[in-house]
Amino acid sequence: MKKYIFVTGGVCSSLGKGVAAASMGCLLEARGLNVRMIKIDPYINVDAGTMSPYQHGEVYVTNDGAETDLDLGNYARFTSSPLSRVNSITTGQIYQEVIQREREGRFLGRTVQVIPHITDRIKQRIRAIGDDENVDVTIVEVGGTVGDIESVPFIEAARQMIHELGHSSVISVHLTLVPEVAGGELKTKPTQHSVKELLEIGIQPDILLCRASTPLDEDLRRKIALFTNVEYEAVISAYDVAGTIYEIPFIYHEQGLDELALRKLQIPVPEARLEDWRRVVDVAKNAKRTVRIAMVGKYIDLNDSYKSIDEALFHGSIACESKIELVKLDSEKLEKNGNLAEALANIDGIIIPGGFGSRGVQGMINVAEHARNNGIPFLGICLGMQVMVIEYARNVLGYDEANSTEFAPECEHPVVSLLEEQIDIKNYGGTMRLGLSDSITMAGSLLRTAYGTERISERHRHRYEVSNKYRAPMEKAGLRIAGVTPDGALVESVEWPKHPWGLGVQFHPEFGSKPVAAHPLFRNFIAASLTYMTARSEGS
Ligand code: GLN
């Protein structure tokens, strides 16, 4: 059908453009359309792989191993758009591709310029996805704020697409802020200015999503419509939700956003089916019990560092008809054993997520020991699983010096190490295991129970592996190997013996969890935590 929606943002960053774009995708899918999602990041980095979580939050990994912006995670949770490296576009990629062509002599002696060569490449990348005959609508989110120097070529490409394909094939949705000033009054001026900025580049927005703390009244919407030349019905009030972000599609839907967008794109409007989503919001609001989960990591200060895990835990709680309270603990502050019991009192389950570097690892090891000895449900993800292995080697096998060579390259017992350190091959290690690969689950394991199948496929993003040298002594000491690679060569999952629910996985199940279909590992972890909670309250 070749229909496109460009989503831009104005006034300031962090207004939730990703969730807004994803919510629109969700609504169009609820009307039976085949949607694709694209994120544009105007930074020069080729991908998000080398960026600290402190800069841009979590790195979201696709099946094909692309390290992308966390907004792709939002798309994965709100829509069923297939996501791979082609769905994430950066300035770095576009320039790299154009410069490579220039070096190959593909421009036949012409001067290579931002317009048309960079903008042409941007359009090609977008249309390579959206022009597919099976695709109905492609939503393109342009990162950054309109007015930023970096995003100009992308917005220019959007303008050209509107010009080339026409207003009934390409529409512009602009997300802005309507701030509240002293006295509680909502102000429309920043929105007016932001739209002016978009107009300067040649784009008249079709729809405005106005973020505000409270719903906008009719007068304000009429005022914004008048000043921005946007029809009144298309000034949508994107007010703050008190509960879950999964309510946002409903806020838009109630104001007719999906119908409006389809009308502008001249697509017949089928009935919306939102029952599954309604259930998620209902359980989140009305569930009678609340499970308390502690997340122990090193990037706790920044809200978005473990975004997909936060969400997967929430999905698990919905599947178990429960609310969730997530207690984030900085592992560095738990390095001294004394403060552990206090920090973990009243906790029903503990999760240790992935991470890189040695800071805070001792605190994680202490937490794993506490969970293992006290029967507290525990899920270790990637680094979290490696921590389980180190802790077991130290405290059960008595290898006091056990460690990962990532943290102690010369340690006496490198129970986690690079593959090249285990078998003497050169030029193998140092690269990450990235993207989807298969594992075999052991019969009778928690892992097998969760998935229900022998062969599973999950995404990886790590360098270090459990050392095969230590596999036999570890197993002899009771640690269960619950999953391995199909050739049996690498450990993919471990479980604690004599423990109600203690599981670690080398891969990242969180990337595959959806609110309407919780990942089975998160669902079962929350179920075990609820059982523990009930036993705890009956015991006290
Ligand atoms: N730092 C560890 C490794 O590289 C774990 C990585 C992770 O948790 N994603 O193997």
Side-chain angles (χ1 to χ4, degrees):
M1 232 189 292
K2 298 191 182 74
K3 302 284 184 180
Y4 293 88
I5 299 176
F6 279 91
V7 180
T8 52
V11 183
C12 63
S13 60
S14 302
L15 292 182
K17 216 173 337 125
V19 171
S23 298
M24 289 184 65
C26 166
L27 288 174
L28 299 188
E29 278 190 357
R31 291 191 181 268
L33 296 168
N34 204 348
V35 173
R36 293 291 180 275
M37 305 292 302
I38 298 175
K39 173 73 194 280
I40 288 174
D41 280 297
Y43 48 65
I44 315 277
N45 306 57
V46 172
D47 63 33
T50 53
M51 280 195 262
S52 155
Y54 284 121
Q55 289 274 307
H56 281 273
E58 164 191 281
V59 173
Y60 184 82
V61 181
T62 56
N63 282 346
D64 62 346
E67 297 176 282
T68 69
D69 184 80
L70 56 72
D71 273 327
L72 269 81
N74 283 321
Y75 306 161
R77 291 183 279 274
F78 280 86
T79 77
S80 44
S81 164
L83 296 167
S84 70
R85 62 181 67 249
V86 296
N87 299 77
S88 167
I89 301 176
T90 66
T91 297
Q93 287 168 26
I94 296 290
Y95 273 80
Q96 202 175 45
E97 288 158 11
V98 170
I99 290 170
Q100 194 185 336
R101 279 155 180 261
E102 188 273 334
R103 293 290 83 187
E104 290 166 1
R106 305 259 290 268
F107 291 104
L108 306 174
R110 285 194 298 271
T111 310
V112 181
Q113 294 176 298
V114 173
I115 303 172
H117 302 102
I118 292 294
T119 46
D120 277 355
R121 185 66 198 154
I122 295 167
K123 288 187 289 178
Q124 277 164 13
R125 284 283 309 266
I126 293 169
R127 297 193 62 172
I129 292 175
D131 284 5
D132 185 305
E133 59 179 60
N134 297 315
V135 176
D136 296 320
V137 182
T138 300
I139 299 177
V140 187
E141 178 194 348
V142 184
T145 308
V146 168
D148 293 349
I149 290 177
E150 287 87 348
S151 58
V152 171
F154 295 104
I155 296 177
E156 166 61 15
R159 185 196 67 76
Q160 291 177 18
M161 280 184 65
I162 296 169
H163 176 70
E164 287 159 10
L165 298 177
H167 284 278
S168 57
S169 289
V170 187
I171 60 168
S172 156
V173 175
H174 191 56
L175 181 78
T176 73
L177 178 69
V178 182
E180 194 181 311
V181 290
E185 200 188 339
L186 293 173
K187 289 299 196 185
T188 66
K189 193 71 87 189
T191 295
Q192 296 176 36
H193 280 293
S194 176
V195 170
K196 251 190 206 133
E197 214 141 5
L198 204 51
L199 281 167
E200 252 168 49
I201 311 180
I203 295 180
Q204 164 65 54
D206 298 283
I207 296 172
L208 292 180
L209 302 176
C210 302
R211 286 298 312 273
S213 48
T214 52
L216 303 185
D217 62 23
E218 191 186 325
D219 284 351
L220 271 183
R221 287 176 61 203
R222 290 215 180 274
K223 184 171 172 190
I224 292 171
L226 182 69
F227 279 101
T228 59
N229 215 12
V230 170
E231 66 180 288
Y232 168 70
E233 283 76 23
V235 178
I236 306 286
S237 170
Y239 52 90
D240 291 352
V241 289
T244 151
I245 51 165
Y246 300 113
E247 222 173 306
I248 292 171
F250 290 100
I251 290 178
Y252 292 167
H253 181 64
E254 279 149 20
Q255 296 177 67
L257 172 67
D258 36 338
E259 226 178 307
L260 186 82
L262 293 179
R263 178 161 55 73
K264 286 183 183 289
L265 289 170
Q266 297 182 358
I267 298 175
V269 185
E271 217 34 46
R273 311 221 40 179
L274 283 160
E275 301 82 13
D276 290 354
W277 287 88
R278 176 56 69 197
R279 182 178 168 272
V280 171
V281 174
D282 285 350
V283 174
K285 269 195 184 143
N286 304 322
K288 298 265 179 307
R289 43 187 194 166
T290 302
V291 67
R292 291 188 86 211
I293 302 295
M295 181 194 277
V296 181
K298 60 188 273 194
Y299 312 113
I300 291 300
D301 310 343
L302 187 85
N303 238 339
D304 282 344
S305 307
Y306 304 107
K307 185 76 187 142
S308 290
I309 295 192
D310 297 353
E311 295 303 317
L313 288 167
F314 174 74
H315 307 158
S317 73
I318 295 295
C320 294
E321 310 263 334
S322 148
K323 290 184 186 170
I324 183 167
E325 185 188 336
L326 198 53
V327 182
K328 295 202 174 181
L329 300 172
D330 182 344
S331 55
E332 229 181 337
K333 300 205 174 104
L334 301 172
E335 309 236 296
K336 290 190 201 67
N337 261 318
N339 51 16
L340 257 191
E342 196 186 324
L344 297 173
N346 304 319
I347 291 293
D348 306 313
I350 298 172
I351 185 161
I352 297 191
F356 293 83
S358 64
R359 186 169 61 79
V361 169
Q362 184 56 49
M364 298 177 199
I365 293 172
N366 297 344
V367 168
E369 180 184 8
H370 180 86
R372 187 173 55 76
N373 287 332
N374 293 285
I376 306 172
F378 181 95
L379 178 56
I381 292 183
C382 209
L383 175 64
M385 182 195 98
Q386 297 173 358
V387 160
M388 283 172 84
V389 170
I390 298 168
E391 187 277 324
Y392 207 82
R394 286 188 192 175
N395 299 325
V396 181
L397 270 117
Y399 296 164
D400 291 349
E401 294 293 307
N403 215 325
S404 161
T405 55
E406 181 180 3
F407 317 129
E410 305 296 333
C411 67
E412 195 187 334
H413 292 293
V415 291
V416 177
S417 59
L418 292 174
L419 218 46
E420 63 178 359
E421 294 168 339
Q422 299 179 30
I423 40 175
D424 194 25
I425 44 165
K426 294 282 168 260
N427 303 326
Y428 186 90
T431 45
M432 287 242 224
R433 192 139 77 97
L434 270 173
L436 205 61
S437 63
D438 286 1
S439 312
I440 302 298
T441 62
M442 300 303 163
S445 63
L446 296 171
L447 193 69
R448 169 71 68 86
T449 309
Y451 286 86
T453 52
E454 188 184 4
R455 204 179 177 101
I456 61 171
S457 211
E458 289 285 8
R459 280 169 253 184
H460 292 71
R461 182 176 186 247
H462 67 112
R463 271 193 194 95
Y464 294 80
E465 305 283 352
V466 173
S467 170
N468 284 314
K469 266 206 309 222
Y470 291 90
R471 231 156 112 170
M474 293 281 235
E475 281 190 281
K476 215 163 146 232
L479 189 70
R480 290 204 295 258
I481 309 289
V484 291
T485 49
D487 59 3
L490 301 173
V491 174
E492 290 276 23
S493 172
V494 299
E495 291 180 12
W496 285 328
K498 300 188 225 96
H499 188 279
W501 211 95
L503 172 72
V505 288
Q506 188 59 80
F507 44 78
H508 290 274
E510 70 272 21
F511 294 139
S513 189
K514 286 172 187 284
V516 290
H519 189 287
L521 277 184
F522 284 88
R523 183 197 61 213
N524 286 11
F525 167 62
I526 297 291
S529 304
L530 283 162
T531 306
Y532 181 82
M533 177 179 96
T534 311
R536 202 162 54 85
S537 63
E538 279 166 4
S540 60

